[in-house]
């Protein structure tokens, strides 16, 4: 398995900021995309932001302009800077990576970190 360790979640007031980090523990695999998804209870998991190995980024419309994703290819880490947080951002945030193993593209999920935005 590819292990993904997330950190940085917590409780913050509306308008506040948090920075999430994710580190992949396995170095032998070729990591393609890295990103973050989130899921609130009863809802489907949705894409928040994604970044390719070349640095191309994709954001959900709901977070564009407020969140910034970045990665360090040497360390196999990805971060999500979240500014101007809103209550609707409350969810469990999951790190997600795609890797190439023997020519096959596979996806891996972290265990998730809770983000709660509340006054």
């Amino acid at each position: 398995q590819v292990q993904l360790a997330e950190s940085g979640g917590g409780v913050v007031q509306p308008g506040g900021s948090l920075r999430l980090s994710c580190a992949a523990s396995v170095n032998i695999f070729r990591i393609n995309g890295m990103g973050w998804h989130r899921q609130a209870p009863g809802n489907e998991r949705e894409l928040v932001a994604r970044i390719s190995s070349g640095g191309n980024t994709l954001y959900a419309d709901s977070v564009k302009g407020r969140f910034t994703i970045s990665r360090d290819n040497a360390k196999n880490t990805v971060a999500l800077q979240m500014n101007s947080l809103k209550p609707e951002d409350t969810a469990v945030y999951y790190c997600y990576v795609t890797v190439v193993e023997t020519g096959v593209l596979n996806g891996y999920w972290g265990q998730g970190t809770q983000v709660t935005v509340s006054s």
Side-chain angles (χ1 to χ4, degrees), residues 19 22-24 27 31 34 51-53 55 69-79:
R19 184 177 180 87
C22 174
N27 298 325
I31 299 179
M34 305 185 76
I51 184 168
S52 72
S53 60
I69 190 169
S70 60
R71 68 186 286 173
D72 186 332
N73 290 333
K75 295 182 177 181
N76 288 333
T77 60
V78 61

Side-chain angles (χ1 to χ4, degrees), residues 31-64:
I31 299 179
N32 188 0
M34 305 185 76
W36 294 91
H37 291 61
R38 67 187 181 187
Q39 186 171 21
N43 295 334
E44 292 189 359
R45 194 170 299 183
E46 64 174 349
L47 170 72
V48 177
R50 187 178 295 160
I51 184 168
S52 72
S53 60
N56 295 319
T57 58
L58 184 151
Y59 296 93
D61 288 340
S62 60
V63 307
K64 195 170 185 179

Side-chain angles (χ1 to χ4, degrees), residues 12-17 84-87 116-119:
V12 66
Q13 292 186 347
S17 298
S84 301
L85 284 163
K86 304 175 180 179
T116 301
V117 185
S118 176
S119 60

Side-chain angles (χ1 to χ4, degrees), residues 98-117:
T98 54
V99 302
V100 179
E101 301 166 285
T102 320
V104 178
L105 183 67
N106 294 309
Y108 294 89
W109 296 94
Q111 293 185 358
T113 183
Q114 178 71 47
V115 172
T116 301
V117 185

Side-chain angles (χ1 to χ4, degrees), residues 66 94 106:
R66 300 187 296 120
Y94 296 90
N106 294 309

